[in-house]
Amino acid sequence: MAKTLYVRSGSEEHELAVTDGTIRASDLRRISTDAGPLATYDPGLLNTASCRSSITYIDGDAGILEYRGYPIEQLAEKSTYLEVAYLLLKGELPNAAQLATWENEVNHHRLVHENAKDIITKSRYDSHPMGKLMSAVASLHAFYPSSRNITDACERELNMVRLLAKMPTLAAFAYRHSLGRNYVYPSDELGFVENFLSMLFKRQERHFIADERLVRAIDVLFILHADHEQNCSTNAVRAVASAGNDPYTSAVAGIAALFGPLHGGANEAVLKMLSEIGSVDRVPEFIEGVKAGQAKLMGFGHRVYKNYDPRARIIKKSADEVFEVTGVNPRLAIAQELERIALNDEYFVSRKLYPNVDFYSGLIYEALKFPPAMFTVMFAVPRTAGWVAQWQEGVLDPEQKITRPKQIYTGLRGRDYAALDAR
Ligand code: CMC
């Protein structure tokens, strides 16, 4: 039902249409203030919708996450990452023939240009793999210059597929570069996840055979990380895309945003926190420190979820399956104790702070022998599906404009330039 918001400003009354639970911020301009037309002030965009989207639905209070209307729990149980990528991009689940064609298409594009690989090779051996990944992805538009033609549907599709396909290859190269190992090229004989594991872990054996339970666990982790509506990195992708950029250039913004410890870097920060705590008996002392504002409980809290993050519940199950293969990560007991105490503590309960997706994912990656620096890379690879789907939706949305927020200016005005010797 259409609603109207009545705003009284001095002697004037204004009617603002309320649509989909929002008012148009530009309608506020009709209301004048001493500082000019009325605007909203929203650091961090806490209460501002920046787009219409039909990709991912989240109800943070109820702990619900759906991709194109399908609950994450069902997708995690029954689907695969590549199928979910198709769903995110095209809006529907593929039939058997469409899925086979899609898998072929993506897998066909897994190789990267040797010079793109060299960008990784030429970086410092100990540089962060997210930095290597960012540089290599930034270079891709140079190898595929027609990707800049974002009004051409075929170019859009081709370059989104290329990016999806090449991310695991570049991620694996970044990993092996830091170990000084030879690069393992993609294999046509292996599916998406098996091939990724082979590019990461293959040594001298003729054929790399990954444990099926690990393949499934990574597939599930990838499904859970594939999209999360307008989070920090997706917003960065859309902002860069809004200036008319190709998917590679736009994805670099996403990788950069994801790198931050408050976003995708949180799983790395969780492991650091667990190792600093060191043992279960030191958990109460650490929790007291968090409550006194000395530290954050990393892997807890979320801008949107004010309930248990549904992804965290599924990851917990995956963690048990991975530990069946790798043996239990000794830090698991510390994490469980943190969760147990926090979920019963007034500080966390009153602020609705629950474990998020990053709380247990780092433990899985550590059990798989990834160094902590690789954890965020393991987030960036699957999030590419969401980035390209959101990139495309933004590019095709006639309501979208170049992103350009307002500011409240707090600096000085109208000063005269003083010569150097007069300062
Ligand atoms: N540990 C301790 N206190 C916390 C935490 C935490 N992890 N998170 C929030 N709070 C407190 C915060 O200090 C504030 O308390 P007060 O009202 O007394 O000032 C209150 O809870 C509300 O927090 P906020 O900072 O206003 O919440 P936000 O929505 O701006 O921040 C967040 C969300 C994810 C940045 C934050 O919860 C956080 O820093 N968590 C730790 C980092 C983390 O795990 N990030 C991964 C997020 S999930 C992956 C992803 O989607 O990127």
Side-chain angles (χ1 to χ4, degrees), residues 17-229:
V18 177
T19 317
D20 299 320
T22 64
I23 54 162
R24 289 221 160 228
S26 53
D27 283 353
L28 294 173
R29 286 199 204 133
R30 301 204 308 258
I31 304 168
S32 49
T33 74
D34 295 344
L38 185 65
T40 56
Y41 176 58
D42 192 6
L45 303 179
L46 263 80
N47 196 30
T48 298
S50 61
C51 61
R52 291 176 184 281
S53 181
S54 58
I55 300 174
T56 291
Y57 173 81
I58 300 176
D59 180 338
D61 292 328
I64 292 174
L65 168 62
E66 294 172 359
Y67 296 157
R68 300 282 189 186
Y70 293 101
I72 193 66
E73 292 79 7
Q74 289 184 26
L75 293 169
E77 196 190 327
K78 298 176 181 158
S79 188
T80 62
Y81 171 66
L82 272 196
E83 185 179 62
V84 162
Y86 183 103
L87 172 70
L88 291 171
L89 259 175
K90 297 175 188 274
E92 295 295 339
L93 285 168
N95 63 28
Q98 287 167 328
L99 182 60
T101 308
W102 172 248
E103 286 176 345
N104 254 331
E105 216 179 306
V106 175
N107 290 339
H108 170 77
H109 284 287
R110 289 181 291 193
L111 271 174
V112 296
H113 194 290
E114 286 291 293
N115 294 355
K117 185 196 76 183
D118 286 349
I119 288 172
I120 292 174
T121 306
K122 294 290 183 312
S123 51
R124 243 186 89 120
Y125 74 99
D126 59 351
S127 58
H128 199 289
M130 280 295 270
K132 296 179 204 175
L133 188 66
M134 236 184 285
S135 320
V137 173
S139 78
L140 289 180
H141 81 86
F143 297 105
Y144 308 109
S146 59
S147 64
R148 301 289 289 169
N149 188 3
I150 62 170
T151 54
D152 181 320
C154 297
E155 286 294 344
R156 279 200 306 271
E157 169 91 11
L158 174 61
N159 289 293
M160 288 190 297
V161 167
R162 279 182 176 142
L163 182 55
L164 266 177
K166 292 176 201 311
M167 279 293 273
T169 312
L170 292 171
F173 286 1
Y175 171 61
R176 293 185 78 104
H177 175 255
S178 43
L179 298 177
R181 289 201 186 135
N182 62 314
Y183 301 120
V184 175
Y185 285 81
S187 160
D188 271 352
E189 287 162 21
L190 300 175
F192 192 83
V193 173
E194 289 98 323
N195 177 65
F196 184 38
L197 292 174
S198 156
M199 292 190 298
L200 287 164
F201 299 126
K202 186 171 184 294
R203 304 292 287 265
Q204 297 183 70
E205 65 273 42
R206 200 176 175 82
H207 295 291
F208 176 86
I209 300 168
D211 189 299
E212 274 175 30
R213 290 167 294 178
L214 293 185
V215 173
R216 185 60 200 151
I218 298 287
D219 220 358
V220 170
L221 280 173
F222 276 19
I223 291 169
L224 300 181
H225 285 91
D227 193 46
H228 212 231
E229 53 120 297

Side-chain angles (χ1 to χ4, degrees), residues 228 231 261-264 266 290 295-303 306 309 311 347-348 351 353 356-358 379:
H228 212 231
N231 55 82
L262 296 187
H263 191 10
V290 170
K296 264 191 171 175
L297 178 48
M298 299 309 286
F300 258 67
H302 200 276
R303 171 63 57 78
K306 301 303 170 198
D309 180 339
R311 301 169 300 172
Y347 175 95
F348 299 91
R351 289 170 178 77
L353 299 172
N356 61 48
V357 69
D358 287 319
F379 192 157

